Amino acid sequence: QVQLVESGGGSVEAGGSLRLSCVPVGFSVRYRCMGWFRQTPGKEREVVGTILQNITTTYADSVKGRFTISKDIVKNIVYLQMNRLKPDDTAMYYCAADRYLNSNCLDIGTWGQGTQVTVPS
């Protein structure tokens, strides 16, 4: 059974930092596009950023320059480093994996359970 396990969420003051971790169970991140998404109540889930199998990353405009996605192939972990956090970053954050190998995260096959990030205003 494949699954994704996130950790690292919490409450942090505006301007602070958090690092989220995503550990796949049952598969490797090496050849699979991985993504981070977030969602607030009443809104659609939105992409935060993705990391392709070749380490190329993409980011939403709202987080560019503040968030960084990386992956450790040896440890089989994907990270989301979040710096200069803002109240608007408050959301449930989800890790996701593409359904197919060597793809581009357009077809998500596996979602994590989510980890809450709160930045009080």
Side-chain angles (χ1 to χ4, degrees):
Q1 180 180 358
V2 297
Q3 59 179 326
L4 296 168
V5 180
E6 301 110 327
S7 62
S11 183
V12 61
E13 292 183 353
S17 298
L18 280 175
R19 188 177 76 165
L20 306 184
S21 299
C22 172
V23 179
V25 177
F27 67 96
S28 170
V29 302
R30 179 184 290 270
Y31 299 114
R32 200 175 296 268
C33 180
M34 302 293 294
W36 285 96
F37 294 73
R38 65 187 183 186
Q39 187 171 25
T40 55
K43 293 187 177 181
E44 290 190 1
R45 192 171 295 186
E46 63 176 5
V47 63
V48 174
T50 62
I51 182 165
L52 302 182
Q53 57 281 356
N54 64 1
I55 318 297
T56 301
T57 53
T58 66
Y59 299 96
D61 288 343
S62 58
V63 306
K64 278 181 182 176
R66 300 188 298 122
F67 289 12
T68 303
I69 298 175
S70 61
K71 63 180 179 181
D72 187 322
I73 294 174
V74 173
K75 295 182 178 179
N76 203 35
I77 300 176
V78 178
Y79 299 104
L80 176 64
Q81 177 67 45
M82 304 184 293
N83 298 327
R84 304 201 309 274
L85 282 160
K86 306 174 182 179
D88 284 349
D89 296 318
T90 295
M92 183 71 77
Y93 283 72
Y94 297 90
C95 179
D98 198 289
R99 190 183 305 277
Y100 304 107
L101 298 179
N102 298 317
S103 190
N104 52 7
C105 285
L106 292 183
D107 192 347
I108 298 299
T110 306
W111 292 94
Q113 81 286 356
T115 185
Q116 178 68 35
V117 172
T118 301
V119 187
S121 56

